[in-house]
Amino acid sequence: MEKVFPIIETSRLILREVTTEDATEMFTYLSDKDVVKPMGLVPCQTVKDVWDEIKWYKSIFEEDTGIRWGITLKDSGEVIGSCGFLNRQSKHYRAEVGYELSKEYWGKGIASEALEAVVKYGYNHFQLERIEALIEPSNLASQKLVEKQGFKREGLLRRYEFTCGKFDDLYMYSIIKEEINFL
């Protein structure tokens, strides 16, 4: 039996599964170095590169190691980013959360709205106890975003990832179920 991809609705957004038909819209932000650099990705050069990202979203959902929703605006249906879980460890009731948003929509509270909905989904549907966010020290906007949601910085993971030809330090943030005030 095939799993049904859940849809999340907020006041301004619909979070849904992305398909290859969304690749052109996704290319807009996945080809932007300012958007993908904090994710440790090289900007997409072609729409075909975006298909690999979509394939990855599909694989983590099918393998039950994560889920990535496309962030769409209710009024237009346009995919302007994504948010979801990766590295889900159901045995340990934890997952890592990640997100990105088209630069055009930065500073409008959209990432915060999507992140809150995804975190709530994780606690209510996956019975998560802990949600983690790994953030580059230079990414102050992302740190501010998770702190606003109640995440706490636990420490610095030195040379934690090797991306784009270099080692990156990452801050480990987390939020525990009992700390959530919007469930």
Side-chain angles (χ1 to χ4, degrees):
M1 186 169 136
E2 193 173 322
K3 292 194 303 183
V4 176
F5 196 97
I7 294 172
I8 302 174
E9 193 169 331
T10 69
S11 60
R12 297 182 289 171
L13 309 171
I14 292 179
L15 307 180
R16 63 163 176 83
E17 183 174 21
V18 295
T19 67
T20 51
E21 287 81 53
D22 298 309
T24 304
E25 290 171 358
M26 293 171 69
F27 180 75
T28 303
Y29 60 86
L30 290 175
S31 62
D32 185 331
K33 68 176 175 27
D34 294 333
V35 173
V36 299
K37 182 195 167 292
M39 300 163 62
L41 298 177
V42 174
C44 291
Q45 302 299 309
T46 67
V47 172
K48 278 189 174 178
D49 293 341
V50 177
W51 295 351
D52 289 335
E53 188 76 359
I54 294 169
K55 265 190 247 164
W56 178 69
Y57 294 178
K58 193 170 185 54
S59 74
I60 63 171
F61 179 67
E62 288 169 356
E63 295 162 8
D64 225 14
T65 59
I67 184 170
R68 195 77 167 205
W69 287 271
I71 301 171
T72 67
L73 298 171
K74 270 187 181 175
D75 59 359
S76 70
E78 177 188 357
V79 180
I80 59 168
S82 81
C83 185
F85 298 111
L86 61 152
N87 299 327
R88 185 169 155 233
Q89 301 289 324
S90 52
K91 174 183 168 186
H92 299 293
Y93 299 89
R94 76 171 181 253
E96 184 184 329
V97 71
Y99 43 82
E100 80 279 336
L101 192 63
S102 186
K103 207 187 303 180
E104 178 184 344
Y105 298 96
W106 289 3
K108 299 179 188 315
I110 290 172
S112 186
E113 190 174 323
L115 180 60
E116 181 178 319
V118 165
V119 165
K120 195 182 294 187
Y121 187 93
Y123 286 118
N124 291 331
H125 295 274
F126 294 143
Q127 283 67 53
L128 295 175
E129 180 62 25
R130 171 188 171 88
I131 296 175
E132 303 169 342
L134 297 174
I135 303 171
E136 289 183 340
S138 62
N139 192 344
L140 300 177
S142 194
Q143 291 173 50
K144 203 166 125 183
L145 170 66
V146 297
E147 287 169 359
K148 184 179 163 197
Q149 296 286 336
F151 283 71
K152 293 181 177 38
R153 186 189 305 173
E154 295 182 334
L156 180 69
L157 301 171
R158 299 178 314 145
R159 295 188 173 222
Y160 190 72
E161 285 184 342
F162 185 78
T163 59
C164 303
K166 65 182 179 17
F167 288 99
D168 293 320
D169 293 344
L170 296 172
Y171 282 131
M172 169 64 81
Y173 279 86
S174 74
I175 190 164
I176 307 300
K177 187 174 191 171
E178 66 197 32
E179 298 169 340
I180 301 289
N181 57 11
F182 52 78
L183 283 180

